[in-house]
Amino acid sequence: MLRQVSRNGMRHCYALQCDVYKFFDSLDHGILLKLLGQKIKDDDVMRLLAEIINSFSSPRFPAGSGKGVPIGNLTSQLFANIYLHELDHFMKHELRIKPYVRYTDDFAIVGEDTDSLQRIIPPVQTFLQEHLLLTLHPKKVKIRKYRQGIDFLGYVVFPHHRLVRTRTRQRMFRKLRLKAETYKRGQSPKESVDQSLLSYLGVLSHADTFRLSEDLKNRYWFWVS
């Protein structure tokens, strides 16, 4: 989308990045069950889904408020996409925005100027509040210039290259070192460390990180030896 809007880096291009505030904690049970009920007509399935959804209550709200799903559960990831599918529909069919992408509660919109992107924020905030009882994170709504790098989902995207976010890189090295330490103490098999290394190298393969990948492999051999 960035390449398309910027004409392969020949024009100015910006990205509006947004995040829903405390999304998993704020997800409303009643709205979620209503959305599920629009597609699922089996009463037994709906009772099971209601039991799963109502079994969790967010500590941010009073008991019995019907808010929140547990972070990390597979069902929570599915429920998140069903819940925010309404936002996708609003973006594409009401606001008619084509260069829009969302992953869980992080989403980005690409535009040619900052003014047009600024005008999108109020209607999105209103829609989230009125229809989904959600709000944008006030500290995670930002507009960045393409040439400055667009930090999204662990990568920083530039017109002619892509890097791994600094925090992502630091977390990889720290976790791999801890995995190697548990192996050397005899608390986990070496295959577990190898799998982690391959997973991290897979993440790095989507960016321009040859030297970083070589550094990670070298440290791996040092840590497990």
Side-chain angles (χ1 to χ4, degrees):
M1 293 189 306
L2 289 163
R3 287 196 296 268
Q4 183 180 28
V5 174
S6 69
R7 301 293 192 271
N8 289 322
M10 299 302 292
R11 294 184 179 181
H12 289 301
C13 179
Y14 303 84
L16 166 64
Q17 296 173 257
C18 300
D19 180 277
V20 177
Y21 182 73
K22 299 289 185 182
F23 170 66
F24 285 101
D25 278 344
S26 303
L27 193 148
D28 185 84
H29 295 179
I31 293 175
L32 175 59
L33 288 169
K34 180 181 177 181
L35 294 173
L36 289 168
Q38 292 174 358
K39 296 292 184 180
I40 300 172
K41 304 305 178 185
D42 189 297
D43 292 338
D44 291 333
V45 174
M46 285 302 301
R47 277 195 293 270
L48 176 60
L49 289 171
E51 184 175 347
I52 294 171
I53 293 167
N54 292 325
S55 66
F56 180 82
S57 180
S58 170
R60 290 187 59 245
F61 296 93
S65 60
K67 294 283 188 178
V69 293
I71 297 175
N73 279 18
L74 178 59
T75 53
S76 297
Q77 303 300 317
L78 296 171
F79 293 153
N81 278 327
I82 292 169
Y83 203 87
L84 288 181
H85 173 72
E86 302 302 301
L87 174 63
D88 300 338
H89 187 276
F90 175 73
M91 289 285 197
K92 295 179 180 180
H93 298 284
E94 299 295 327
L95 298 184
R96 298 187 179 278
I97 297 172
K98 292 184 179 180
Y100 158 80
V101 62
R102 177 182 62 81
Y103 183 85
T104 313
D105 62 323
D106 293 320
F107 58 95
I109 302 164
V110 180
E112 296 180 353
D113 60 86
T114 59
D115 289 342
S116 61
L117 293 175
Q118 287 278 7
R119 288 194 294 270
I120 293 172
I121 299 173
V124 170
Q125 177 73 291
T126 299
F127 176 83
L128 288 172
Q129 290 177 335
E130 294 182 354
H131 294 271
L132 300 176
L133 301 182
L134 300 173
T135 185
L136 293 176
H137 196 302
K139 296 182 179 180
K140 294 185 179 180
V141 176
K142 55 188 176 182
I143 297 176
R144 285 187 61 84
K145 188 181 294 185
Y146 187 16
R147 295 184 183 278
Q148 294 176 326
I150 308 301
D151 187 339
F152 191 63
L153 302 182
Y155 298 92
V156 183
V157 183
F158 294 90
H160 303 294
H161 66 288
R162 181 165 54 239
L163 301 178
V164 174
R165 182 190 296 164
T166 301
R167 292 197 305 275
T168 303
R169 181 176 70 246
Q170 293 172 342
R171 187 165 58 248
M172 285 181 183
F173 279 79
R174 183 179 68 254
K175 288 189 173 182
L176 186 62
R177 178 175 56 80
L178 292 174
K179 277 266 190 179
E181 290 175 356
T182 60
Y183 157 69
K184 294 183 74 173
R185 291 196 299 265
Q187 297 174 339
S188 65
K190 186 171 181 294
E191 289 77 11
S192 177
V193 191
D194 295 340
Q195 289 171 0
S196 293
L197 173 65
L198 292 175
S199 176
Y200 294 143
L201 291 175
V203 172
L204 295 176
S205 69
H206 296 287
D208 300 285
T209 55
F210 174 77
R211 291 183 180 179
L212 183 60
S213 297
E214 292 299 304
D215 186 22
L216 185 65
K217 287 187 283 187
N218 289 336
R219 295 199 193 192
Y220 157 80
W221 289 113
F222 175 77
W223 287 330
V224 299
S225 62

